[in-house]
Amino acid sequence: GDSVTQMEGPVTLSEEAFLTINCTYTATGYPSLFWYVQYPGEGLQLLLKATKADDKGSNKGFEATYRKETTSFHLEKGSVQVSDSAVYFCALRDWDGLTFGKGTHLIIQP
Amino acid sequence: NAGVTQTPKFQVLKTGQSMTLQCAQDMNHNSMYWYRQDPGMGLRLIYYSASEGTTDKGEVPNGYNVSRLNKREFSLRLESAAPSQTSVYFCASSESSRSSNQPQHFGDGTRLSIL
């Protein structure tokens, strides 16, 4: 079946550091790919998405590119802020619903 | 904009008790979903409803039942709660389950503890 693998945290960075959170997937067909963010005590919010190979999703300074050849969708941000501290989930969409990775807890220190 | 609303936000039950988690969306979405979130496990799909009048099992349906009451509401029922069902439950909705590029919109979750 479909699966998503992402680096497990916690990942701790200093403010203004460069961020990469790796995500790879296994799926039949050509799924859409998503990054969701969960702030403490809240539900998941869509951060960005890409629906086909070579698409780049972007939002709030975050970017991710759908790489079909490496089955990856790595999340990047050039300069993180304390307010980016949250749990980030990579997910793929098949007909039934979303298949999630286990989540990466990101901690940004001032 | 309310989006997806879940009630209650917190609940503590004793083993064997029953309970229904409520979910309503005001975005006129066709599809609705129930997930559970456990530490180190990500989110796992319990049940989903592709459209009003239909429901289907997801990855972890055992111990749960669902009802798609109308287009807006999708409830999750625990008939006889077990400690293994202690989790955070999320309801989500999307325009359609038939189009895989549609994102899902999530509620804030129900934190359920079974003693």
Side-chain angles (χ1 to χ4, degrees):
Chain A
D2 297 349
S3 65
V4 175
T5 302
Q6 61 181 108
M7 56 193 299
E8 297 189 25
V11 173
T12 303
L13 296 173
S14 298
E15 203 166 22
E16 299 184 2
F18 184 87
L19 168 71
T20 300
I21 300 178
N22 291 334
C23 171
T24 57
Y25 67 91
T26 302
T28 54
Y30 305 97
S32 294
L33 301 174
F34 303 85
W35 277 100
Y36 282 82
V37 59
Q38 183 180 33
Y39 299 102
E42 298 184 10
L44 278 71
Q45 302 174 25
L46 178 65
L47 182 60
L48 53 85
K49 72 174 186 178
T51 59
K52 61 183 187 295
D54 300 325
D55 265 3
K56 177 184 283 187
S58 62
N59 186 27
K60 299 181 181 179
F62 290 90
E63 293 183 338
T65 300
Y66 191 141
R67 299 289 187 198
K68 181 168 174 285
E69 63 276 12
T70 55
T71 62
S72 64
F73 193 53
H74 304 322
L75 182 68
E76 297 181 335
K77 186 175 185 181
S79 177
V80 293
Q81 306 301 313
V82 172
S83 58
D84 293 327
S85 298
V87 181
Y88 293 81
F89 292 92
C90 184
L92 65 83
R93 178 74 191 272
D94 54 25
W95 295 118
D96 295 343
L98 288 166
T99 298
F100 286 90
K102 293 182 178 181
T104 301
H105 186 193
L106 176 65
I107 300 170
I108 307 300
Q109 295 178 334
Chain B
N1 290 336
V4 178
T5 302
Q6 292 183 234
T7 55
K9 295 190 183 303
F10 303 93
Q11 186 70 47
V12 179
L13 294 177
K14 294 181 179 179
T15 298
Q17 287 185 315
S18 62
M19 174 171 187
T20 300
L21 308 185
Q22 306 288 351
C23 175
Q25 52 91 9
D26 62 1
M27 295 172 283
N28 202 36
H29 284 169
N30 289 305
S31 302
M32 298 185 74
Y33 311 82
W34 276 105
Y35 294 89
R36 59 178 290 173
Q37 182 180 26
D38 301 295
M41 299 292 289
L43 278 79
R44 293 178 291 171
L45 183 65
I46 304 171
Y47 269 94
Y48 68 101
S49 171
S51 61
E52 187 178 354
T54 68
T55 61
D56 286 286
K57 295 178 180 179
E59 180 184 355
V60 288
N62 291 345
Y64 305 95
N65 287 301
V66 291
S67 296
R68 184 73 183 269
L69 304 171
N70 47 55
K71 191 172 186 179
R72 290 187 64 248
E73 299 173 285
F74 188 40
S75 62
L76 178 72
R77 183 162 178 83
L78 287 70
E79 290 290 353
S80 179
S84 61
Q85 294 178 304
T86 293
S87 189
V88 181
Y89 292 85
F90 288 99
C91 178
S93 70
S94 66
E95 287 188 19
S96 171
S97 68
R98 296 302 174 195
S99 176
S100 66
N101 65 3
Q102 293 295 324
Q104 294 181 8
H105 300 263
F106 285 79
D108 287 340
T110 295
R111 284 150 184 80
L112 183 61
S113 293
I114 316 295
L115 305 178

